Amino acid sequence: MRGLLASSIGVTCAAALALPLTPPAVAATARPVPTTEAATAARPAPHAGTPDTTLTSRRAAEPYAPGSTQSLPLESLTRNRATPTTPGGPDQGLTRRAVRHFSLVGVVWDDPEAELHGRVQVRTRAAGTGTWSGWQDVETHNGDHAADPDTPERTSGRVRGATAPLWVGDSDGVELRVRSEPESAEADSAHHGTDTRNLPAAPPLPSGLRLELVDPGDDAPPPDASADGRRTVGLAGENSAATEASAVNADLAPLGATEIPALNRAETEQASLNAGELTEQQQRAKPYVGPRPRIVTRRGWGADEGLRERGFRYTKKVKAAFVHHTASGNNYRCSQSPSLIRSIYRYHVKSMGWRDIGYNFLIDKCGKIYEGRAGGVAKPVLGAHTLGFNSKTMGIAVLGSYGAKNPSSASVRAVARLTAWKLGLYRVNPRGKTYLKSGGSNLHRKGKKVRLNVISGHRDGFITECPGRKLYKKLGSARSTAARYQGR
């Protein structure tokens, strides 16, 4: 089963205010290898003993853009003492090889409804040092995210099944192995190395398996923005995807801003009144809107707006927030967060076939908040984050994996700050409960009205480990802190 997204209304930006917005990543690229040469580009000479395999790709080469994606079809692996026989058919993967630079990996397959029952492991070579990592597990169960089956995004014909992405840092070599395993043995095998030789036959691996190697491009400050990121860039009257993405936040920050500034509670309440976001009845009532936090815009993290589908999709309101983790690992520095987000964005759109990044917001371990799916941070943008419950909700993803590792206190406070503000705009109490109508999941049948916490974890709407048990345990604290920020 795959996740959610539904369509709604498109939003038109003010063409009179249009401007040429160049994402930060466009300004400089240290590795300008045109992606039209993705399969045949010259690669660095492999280290001794490393097979220099020529890469080919059946997928049409993408046009040149900041960053790139190498898509490599998997091969059958010859079993030997290092790769024990499993009952699910031939293992697949890639032998150790040199490739162009990348920082994030994932595996995709043809049928978005198919599950990969097994174990995916990757090891990578660090660029510069030539050091190979140990084997790392890639989270295979990612079907609890994506667009609803009955939406245009889902039925586009571009959507693929996929693992979660894994951040590995700047790398130029890769080795991969994918092993089919009985579903009941997957968790034990992944975490405890269980011997699978005596288990019943495992289902076959999905068809069309490919390794996706994502290079996010390099960070560079926007040449036309001021140091505080708030200066409007030059107006040229040109309507573009970048202008469109910035214009929907024009009530909150100047066009072309790299961040939306924080406001205190009084300023936030007044800004809501000025923007006409409150009904007359709401204006007479105590607002309970938390102070608006600082939010890095899509321009701020360097989104290539040419990747996503044009226009925006909205739900009617925001009644609840679902908290996720990206399951992409914790081996990133906060300075790398924009690169990690650009990589996830590219993976969601180019590799998985979504219209845009799935989450409405992302938060790094230093507590910085980033705009996710385009459409306006104050608006009810329809995401692809919680299968069955994307309508009337927002999805917040904390960058990292939090099954065994505690999230930082800064990231939990950021969840509270963000929900206090965004839920407050829709007059929702973060400590409250609400009813949501399920669009269908493996936990709640389609059409069922489900009573949920206003701030819920992904696992409350779907049988999944997300957002990781350690982060899930912190949601009670996030609820009470968010309510306090609202003045409740």
Side-chain angles (χ1 to χ4, degrees), residues 142 145 165 321-328 332 337 340-341 344 348 354 357-365 367-373 384-386 394-402 407 411-412 414-415 418-419 456-458 466-467 471 475:
N142 199 40
H145 307 76
F322 281 97
V323 178
H324 306 257
H325 67 170
T326 57
S328 50
Y332 73 94
S337 297
L340 174 52
I341 295 171
I344 294 172
H348 281 182
W354 296 1
I357 193 170
Y359 309 112
N360 298 109
F361 297 93
L362 300 101
I363 294 172
D364 69 19
K365 57 190 174 184
K368 186 173 286 190
I369 301 169
Y370 300 83
E371 178 183 15
R373 182 163 285 211
H385 48 81
T386 308
M394 66 174 181
I396 303 168
V398 180
L399 297 173
S401 302
Y402 299 103
S411 64
V412 177
V415 170
L418 177 58
T419 51
S456 284
H458 190 177
C466 185
L471 177 54
L475 296 187

Side-chain angles (χ1 to χ4, degrees), residues 35-87:
T35 57
T36 52
E37 302 173 11
T40 57
R43 292 176 281 115
H47 288 200
T50 304
D52 187 10
T53 308
T54 300
L55 309 179
T56 58
S57 173
R58 295 172 298 182
R59 189 178 305 169
E62 57 178 299
Y64 178 71
S68 61
T69 301
Q70 299 169 79
S71 185
L72 315 179
L74 302 196
E75 306 160 354
S76 294
L77 296 179
T78 302
R79 290 198 181 102
N80 52 37
R81 293 178 182 176
T83 53
T85 300
T86 57

Side-chain angles (χ1 to χ4, degrees), residues 116-307:
L116 195 163
H117 296 294
R119 190 176 187 184
V120 176
Q121 292 182 300
V122 67
R123 57 187 310 215
T124 55
R125 186 177 67 189
T129 68
T131 302
W132 283 88
S133 71
W135 287 104
Q136 299 184 74
D137 286 299
V138 180
E139 173 58 56
T140 58
H141 293 298
N142 199 40
D144 41 3
H145 307 76
D148 280 340
D150 55 352
T151 61
E153 181 172 2
R154 180 66 174 186
T155 58
S156 65
R158 299 188 302 270
V159 180
R160 303 178 186 90
T163 68
L166 178 68
W167 176 261
V168 295
D170 189 17
S171 305
D172 61 7
V174 68
E175 183 177 3
L176 178 79
R177 62 191 184 198
V178 180
R179 296 177 179 175
S180 178
E181 295 178 353
E183 187 173 4
S184 60
E186 289 174 28
D188 286 341
S189 176
H191 298 292
H192 305 295
T194 300
D195 188 346
T196 62
R197 286 175 291 183
N198 298 319
L199 293 172
L205 293 171
S207 62
L209 288 168
R210 306 180 70 84
L211 174 64
E212 304 287 287
L213 303 175
V214 181
D215 176 3
D218 292 301
D219 292 307
D224 45 11
S226 59
D228 64 3
R230 298 184 57 190
R231 194 176 95 196
T232 302
V233 296
L235 302 177
E238 175 192 347
N239 192 10
S240 67
T243 300
E244 181 184 54
S246 184
V248 287
N249 289 318
D251 289 339
L252 310 180
L255 283 168
T258 57
E259 68 174 45
I260 294 166
L263 299 178
N264 61 34
R265 279 191 62 199
E267 292 170 333
T268 301
E269 292 170 10
Q270 188 59 49
S272 298
L273 290 170
N274 294 343
E277 293 166 351
L278 308 182
T279 66
E280 185 177 340
Q281 181 180 3
Q282 288 172 334
Q283 291 177 30
R284 290 195 299 266
K286 185 172 176 61
Y288 292 118
V289 179
R292 187 177 75 198
R294 184 169 70 95
I295 302 171
V296 177
T297 65
R298 289 171 63 90
R299 175 169 166 76
W301 54 261
D304 174 10
E305 300 295 352
L307 290 181

